[in-house]
Amino acid sequence: MAHSVRRDAPELPDFSLLKRLARDQLIYLLEQLPGRKDLFIEADLMSPLDRIANVTTLKQHDVDKLYKVEYKPIVSTSDQLCFLIRPRIKTVKWICDVVNADKAFGRFRRYKIIFSPQKFYSCENLLEEQGIFGDVTTDEWSFYLLPLDDDIISLELPEFFRDNFLEGDQRWVRTAGSALHLLHSVYGPFSKLYGIGRCSKMAYESWREQVEEGEQRARQAEIGNVFLIDRDVDLVTPLCSQVVYEGLVDDIFRIKCGCVEFGPDVTSSDKSIKVMLNSQDKVFNEIRNEHFSQVFGFLSQKARNLQTAYDKRSGMDIKQMKTFVSEELKGLKQEHRLLSLHIGASESMMKRKTKQDFQELLKTEHSLLEGFEIRECISYIEEHINRQVSMVESMRLLCLLSLTENGLLPKDYRSLKAQFLQSYGIDHLLTFSNLKQLGLLVEQQPGETLTVMESRVGKLVNDKTAGKLTDAFSSLAKKSNFRALGRRLNLVPKSDEEYDLRVPRDMAYIFSGAYIPLSCKLIEQVLERDGWTGLEEVTRMLNGHEFAVTAGSNGSDARVKTDSQRIILVMFLGGCTFSEISALRFLGREKGLKFIVVTTAITNSARLLESMLDNHA
């Protein structure tokens, strides 16, 4: 069932070193405030921190009590307070209130603020404005990268997408550059860097500046090539329903920091249980990249194999039984527990999806991707809205319709918008403004049909004097050009051919054979061509900002050089889905490569669209 790895596939680097570096630096920073202290941790740093340094480790370094930052007066009686926070104005303002309240009561304490992954000038400026700059010490915990698995590393910055692509706030670009520099320092030097997107180009330039400032040491590289890609280069993929097992688990149960909480409906008890989902879980590792339709068959076979292994006990003598108990039984029990959980999760997901009429939903999505029966799709979306099925689901379908059709016809846009606001509330007017600004849900302007748009693109590509895209075309290009890109890159396989999901033939299997993710197709094409040559028309439709740079040599040993060249680090700026990770794993198996995915956060349609809501904090 699980895909076999090519014998010549290179070994992945050991990323546990990143955890050790982060833990050692945090311990050093805590020890800068000697003696017993209470530690206040921002909510979204708690899960990542738990993966780096558990409570026992913190207690060993004089942390007395741990509190979650809750933006209200504190109850701590300690004389030393340490705050581990993201560089957010709201949190810094709360710390100012805590310190000023202590001053008003004549209470003297020592305060230390540790910003992660870095501090911003705006935060220090606020401390000064509030009159407490001299009362606190500030530091940075350069915790840029959290390894979630052997081939997934996250910056755990879900706000990156909204801040950068909607608000135009580029403060996290330097963070992305620093994360890349850390990987280059430990696992480089990189030999080639490719990228597409404005943010990717800025992150590359930030990385290059840091490399030039630092000292160069000759070493054997473990990672050869790097590909940077902006999330807004491909907004269609994260809006598609995920049907590989890991993606579906994320959509339904929400995987947080590599961990998922299964409720009583999965555990068949009255308790919930938290499970780490990574390659250490042998059952999960074999089904994570599989299309959901193939998972039950595998789990049934696994259960039969497990039963056979247990049945071996009958007929054993005492010596054989002793060996069985000491060597095999523990492993079988662990596998049995995990198998029960994944069977429970699969049954729970099947029930929920049957209730939602998942097949009808997928059929509508596939029609949108292929450009067929659009009026029927609009009717389905209207019914979805009017029945007040999940607001985020309705918004997702609207955005998918807009992106694949290059915007909605004015009458459809006005009608669907009115129905949406009537169903889900007038307060979503500002959400529509956000979606429009990002190009997720737009109205076609008169004369901007698909064919007119494509002919403009073609004219620009053929016009040698055109050079860089004009601002007018930039705004026009934000309207997706999905159909033209689909034809150029063959993103939508011919639907008249039967697609065997048991033996996938390309990356389209992650969407039931209906669509190859644009992000992954671009990576495949650029690696095949060793650059963007021959893809000029594609890059112009994607608004440019592409680059391909040779950064340096990878050492003299040809064998090492070959291995590192076949390890590709892909950095998604703005988030990446588990479906894309599965597609890249498939591509790696086909080509004898190994992909390492570095992302600002794991995303899916719900997370992406929730970040667009105007009440987003």
Side-chain angles (χ1 to χ4, degrees):
M1 167 80 183
H3 303 291
S4 59
V5 178
R6 269 172 56 157
R7 288 176 195 276
D8 63 340
E11 286 294 309
L12 285 167
D14 176 15
F15 293 116
S16 63
L17 178 59
L18 296 173
K19 288 187 182 180
R20 290 201 299 275
L21 288 170
R23 183 170 60 245
D24 291 350
Q25 193 199 3
L26 178 62
I27 289 167
Y28 172 78
L29 292 172
L30 290 172
E31 287 177 348
Q32 298 297 297
L33 191 64
R36 308 296 292 169
K37 53 195 154 286
D38 285 355
L39 180 62
F40 289 80
I41 308 165
E42 194 148 9
D44 59 353
L45 272 171
M46 293 187 99
S47 293
L49 177 63
D50 198 42
R51 299 284 298 263
I52 297 297
N54 57 25
V55 175
T56 310
T57 307
L58 296 173
K59 297 270 186 191
Q60 285 168 355
H61 296 278
D62 290 333
V63 172
D64 192 15
K65 291 179 182 165
L66 290 132
Y67 297 94
K68 184 166 86 171
V69 168
E70 290 183 313
Y71 306 105
K72 59 187 186 184
I74 62 169
V75 293
S76 169
T77 56
S78 176
D79 289 332
Q80 298 198 111
L81 304 182
C82 189
F83 301 91
L84 181 58
I85 64 166
R86 293 286 191 210
R88 293 181 184 132
I89 293 294
K90 181 185 177 184
T91 316
V92 176
K93 178 71 175 73
W94 170 75
I95 293 171
C96 293
D97 292 343
V98 168
V99 176
N100 283 325
D102 282 351
K103 280 185 180 178
F105 281 108
R107 167 136 204 198
F108 174 78
R109 301 198 227 216
R110 292 179 71 193
Y111 311 93
K112 183 179 181 71
I113 305 174
I114 301 173
F115 292 101
S116 177
Q118 66 197 87
K119 58 185 171 188
F120 294 134
Y121 169 75
S122 55
C123 296
E124 293 191 313
N125 196 40
L126 181 60
L127 294 173
E128 206 167 338
E129 282 176 7
Q130 295 288 317
I132 68 157
F133 190 76
D135 301 304
V136 300
T137 55
T138 62
D139 239 315
E140 289 181 335
W141 181 30
S142 306
F143 176 34
Y144 296 114
L145 298 163
L146 174 67
L148 298 178
D149 207 343
D150 297 342
D151 60 351
I152 309 173
I153 304 172
S154 174
L155 277 75
E156 289 300 307
L157 291 174
E159 63 262 55
F160 190 106
F161 181 77
R162 181 182 170 108
D163 285 357
N164 190 81
F165 297 109
L166 181 67
E167 312 283 1
D169 182 346
Q170 294 160 6
R171 61 191 169 146
W172 298 116
V173 171
R174 173 85 182 172
T175 310
S178 299
L180 199 56
H181 183 243
L182 175 59
L183 289 164
H184 177 265
S185 305
V186 180
Y187 304 103
F190 307 142
S191 59
K192 286 190 175 168
L193 291 97
Y194 312 97
I196 184 163
R198 189 158 166 262
C199 185
S200 290
K201 198 154 195 177
M202 289 191 290
Y204 158 71
E205 283 162 1
S206 169
W207 165 79
R208 194 184 60 197
E209 281 170 19
Q210 292 176 63
V211 169
E212 286 167 0
E213 286 167 12
E215 55 180 280
Q216 305 294 309
R217 287 198 301 272
R219 74 171 80 76
Q220 287 182 339
E222 293 182 73
I223 298 171
N225 300 319
V226 176
F227 195 106
L228 289 88
I229 184 166
D230 283 16
R231 181 69 277 169
D232 72 346
V233 164
D234 173 17
L235 289 167
V236 170
T237 300
L239 291 176
C240 294
S241 291
Q242 302 195 79
V243 285
V244 291
Y245 182 74
E246 189 168 15
L248 209 45
V249 170
D250 186 42
D251 277 356
I252 292 175
F253 299 105
R254 292 266 176 135
I255 298 172
K256 187 179 176 186
C257 224
C259 189
V260 69
E261 187 167 343
F262 288 135
D265 58 328
V266 172
T267 59
S268 303
S269 67
D270 55 355
K271 286 186 284 190
S272 293
I273 184 168
K274 283 192 173 179
V275 183
M276 291 293 292
L277 294 179
N278 56 33
S279 54
Q280 302 303 306
D281 176 341
K282 299 232 173 6
V283 177
F284 174 70
N285 197 41
E286 292 194 68
I287 58 174
R288 67 191 309 178
N289 303 311
E290 297 297 332
H291 190 279
F292 188 62
S293 62
Q294 306 303 303
V295 168
F296 269 116
F298 170 79
L299 293 174
S300 303
Q301 184 59 49
K302 195 82 177 165
R304 285 194 291 273
N305 294 348
L306 209 56
Q307 190 58 52
T308 306
Y310 273 125
D311 291 346
K312 281 196 310 186
R313 291 174 299 181
S314 57
M316 283 184 180
D317 59 30
I318 292 175
K319 189 181 176 185
Q320 288 171 324
M321 184 64 82
K322 192 177 176 184
T323 307
F324 175 79
V325 169
S326 63
E327 292 178 10
E328 291 183 51
L329 190 60
K330 190 180 176 185
L332 287 173
K333 282 187 171 176
Q334 169 73 349
E335 207 167 325
H336 184 265
R337 187 183 73 86
L338 293 169
L339 188 62
S340 299
L341 280 173
H342 290 297
I343 288 172
S346 298
E347 286 174 342
S348 174
M349 290 192 288
M350 189 69 93
K351 277 180 199 162
R352 293 192 203 195
K353 290 303 180 187
T354 307
K355 201 174 172 183
Q356 285 178 3
D357 201 357
F358 193 47
Q359 290 308 318
E360 192 65 31
L361 182 69
L362 286 182
K363 187 182 163 204
T364 302
E365 279 183 39
H366 294 174
S367 295
L368 289 173
L369 292 165
E370 292 163 7
F372 295 146
E373 301 176 337
I374 298 304
R375 296 319 306 176
E376 285 86 343
C377 293
I378 291 173
S379 299
Y380 177 84
I381 296 169
E382 285 179 324
E383 187 188 345
H384 216 268
I385 292 169
N386 295 329
R387 283 172 49 215
Q388 293 185 325
V389 184
S390 154
M391 184 269 293
V392 171
E393 273 288 277
S394 296
M395 194 185 294
R396 179 177 77 82
L397 290 169
L398 282 175
C399 292
L400 205 52
L401 171 66
S402 174
L403 286 166
T404 52
E405 288 297 297
N406 246 38
L408 305 183
L409 293 169
K411 66 182 180 72
D412 289 334
Y413 180 84
R414 286 194 291 272
S415 167
L416 287 164
K417 182 179 177 182
Q419 290 176 68
F420 188 96
L421 294 173
Q422 283 167 358
S423 271
Y424 302 112
I426 200 74
D427 50 333
H428 286 298
L429 258 175
L430 287 169
T431 304
F432 272 83
S433 172
N434 292 342
L435 294 171
K436 184 177 181 178
Q437 193 178 326
L438 202 62
L440 275 166
L441 182 54
V442 296
E443 182 180 358
Q444 280 181 12
Q445 298 307 310
E448 280 192 3
T449 61
L450 211 55
T451 48
V452 171
M453 293 277 282
E454 285 176 22
S455 67
R456 286 193 203 176
V457 172
K459 183 174 181 298
L460 267 163
V461 170
N462 295 327
D463 183 1
K464 296 233 168 51
T465 61
K468 289 191 175 179
L469 297 176
T470 59
D471 289 339
F473 186 70
S474 293
S475 64
L476 190 134
K478 222 172 183 184
K479 292 185 180 173
S480 141
N481 300 314
F482 178 76
R483 292 273 173 263
L485 284 164
R487 282 196 292 274
R488 200 78 59 204
L489 294 170
N490 194 25
L491 298 179
V492 182
K494 290 190 175 75
S495 55
D496 52 357
E497 298 171 23
E498 191 65 36
Y499 198 99
D500 188 355
L501 291 167
R502 287 169 301 181
V503 190
R505 60 172 181 261
D506 54 28
M507 291 184 282
Y509 90 91
I510 66 160
F511 294 123
S512 309
Y515 165 63
I516 298 172
L518 170 59
S519 53
C520 302
K521 189 71 174 180
L522 282 173
I523 293 163
E524 179 190 34
Q525 290 290 307
V526 169
L527 292 175
E528 272 182 17
R529 297 160 190 262
D530 194 19
W532 296 94
T533 310
L535 294 169
E536 291 83 3
E537 191 167 348
V538 168
T539 58
R540 293 201 184 194
M541 282 191 275
L542 292 170
N543 216 359
H545 300 291
E546 77 282 0
F547 58 91
V549 183
T550 301
S553 161
N554 257 351
S556 56
D557 184 342
R559 170 73 188 156
V560 172
K561 185 173 179 179
T562 309
D563 274 2
S564 67
Q565 287 297 330
R566 290 185 299 136
I567 292 182
I568 319 292
L569 188 147
V570 179
M571 189 175 208
F572 284 87
L573 296 166
C576 165
T577 65
F578 281 117
S579 293
E580 286 167 305
I581 295 170
S582 291
L584 288 174
R585 285 177 182 142
F586 175 87
L587 182 62
R589 285 190 298 268
E590 292 290 295
K591 307 281 186 187
L593 304 169
K594 280 281 179 73
F595 286 95
I596 298 157
V597 174
V598 178
T599 177
T600 49
I602 294 292
T603 194
N604 58 21
S605 57
R607 290 189 190 100
L608 188 141
L609 291 171
E610 282 163 10
S611 74
M612 293 294 103
L613 301 180
D614 199 68
N615 61 358
H616 179 79

